[in-house]
Amino acid sequence: MSTKKVHKAWAFATAAVVVPCVAAMPAEAAAMPFTDIKNSGSEAELYKAVSELYSQGIVFGTTSTTFSPYQNLTRGEAAYFLAEALKLETKNVVNPGFNDVPTSHKYYGHIAALAEKGIIQKGTNYNPDHFIKRSQMAKILTLGFNLQQATTLSAPFSDFTKDDNETNKNIQTLLDYGITQGTSATTFSPYTDVRRGQMVLFLYRTLQKAEDDFYIISVE
């Protein structure tokens, strides 16, 4: 496998798609109000990620003083986080027609914005209160940030899904970009729920890479 560095304007796939404007990371984040994440040890990166994304209005806590990083993330919350990270228009949006997402729903604008961009698929229901899976997370990040999708599966995961190669490619894409990793040396756990803290880390790492040059990973 070889790696070459390219300017970020060319690191995204699909020439016909304009890369969405993403939030720039501030030099210093505002003081974080959440007391359930430590700014040390194994939580140091998470603390920094939550602090910076919270200061930009991209993520929110479960209370005024707790973020609940180990609580599972709902599909509605995921839509909010991603739409805000991409700086999408969430007010003047086209109704995607989900039966379970009326215009009065608290995440309606964010869900509609993602549907309008083709980041999530339109259908009968969106299930905003269901937990988002790791495979679904890989899809919305790959599509949302127009990451160059992997063409070869190089990870040694025994749980790559056999009937959905598109999902496998999205998972491999995040691995190639260094946004996430497996749950073990041989598993990705695509149908495991994503936790709130994990999603923040994935978004933070992707936004950090958007500031700098991306790396295109090619397997030879």
Side-chain angles (χ1 to χ4, degrees):
M1 182 171 66
S2 64
T3 305
K4 62 178 181 178
K5 190 174 183 180
V6 296
H7 191 273
K8 63 184 175 184
W10 296 101
F12 297 98
T14 62
V17 178
V18 177
V19 178
C21 178
V22 296
M25 290 296 169
E28 293 185 9
M32 188 174 73
F34 307 125
T35 59
D36 54 352
I37 307 175
K38 297 179 181 178
N39 188 17
S40 62
S42 61
E43 290 189 338
E45 183 189 10
L46 175 60
Y47 183 95
K48 182 176 178 63
V50 172
S51 179
E52 293 196 9
L53 269 59
Y54 173 77
S55 71
Q56 298 176 63
I58 294 174
V59 302
F60 54 84
T62 51
T63 72
S64 61
T65 58
T66 59
F67 187 77
S68 304
Y70 304 107
Q71 179 176 300
N72 290 337
L73 182 78
T74 68
R75 288 165 56 85
E77 290 172 328
Y80 183 101
F81 288 5
L82 181 59
E84 289 296 322
L86 295 173
K87 296 301 180 185
L88 299 183
E89 169 60 53
T90 60
K91 302 298 182 183
N92 300 313
V93 291
V94 177
N95 192 332
F98 293 119
N99 290 336
D100 55 356
V101 187
T103 56
S104 58
H105 194 281
K106 60 183 176 180
Y107 300 130
Y108 165 76
H110 296 82
I111 293 169
L114 296 185
E116 191 171 345
K117 294 293 184 180
I119 298 170
I120 59 175
Q121 191 172 14
K122 296 180 181 179
T124 304
N125 295 310
Y126 178 72
N127 300 314
D129 297 324
H130 289 191
F131 299 134
I132 190 168
K133 308 299 181 183
R134 285 168 60 84
S135 58
Q136 296 169 334
M137 172 276 299
K139 176 182 178 180
I140 64 173
L141 288 182
T142 298
L143 294 179
F145 287 95
N146 291 325
L147 303 182
Q148 178 165 308
Q149 191 185 59
T151 57
T152 302
L153 302 181
S154 59
F157 295 148
S158 59
D159 57 356
F160 267 139
T161 176
K162 296 180 180 179
D163 57 353
D164 189 353
N165 199 44
E166 194 72 10
T167 292
N168 296 338
K169 290 179 180 178
N170 291 332
I171 291 170
Q172 184 67 55
T173 298
L174 296 197
L175 295 168
D176 290 346
Y177 276 90
I179 294 168
T180 187
Q181 57 188 6
T183 53
S184 77
T186 58
T187 59
F188 183 78
S189 304
Y191 303 114
T192 297
D193 298 330
V194 176
R195 294 176 179 177
R196 288 170 54 85
Q198 290 173 328
M199 189 64 178
V200 173
L201 283 173
F202 300 149
L203 282 173
Y204 176 74
R205 292 167 185 165
T206 306
L207 288 168
Q208 287 285 82
K209 290 177 182 294
E211 279 196 312
D212 305 319
D213 288 346
F214 267 106
Y215 286 88
I216 290 183
I217 311 297
S218 59
V219 178
E220 297 178 348

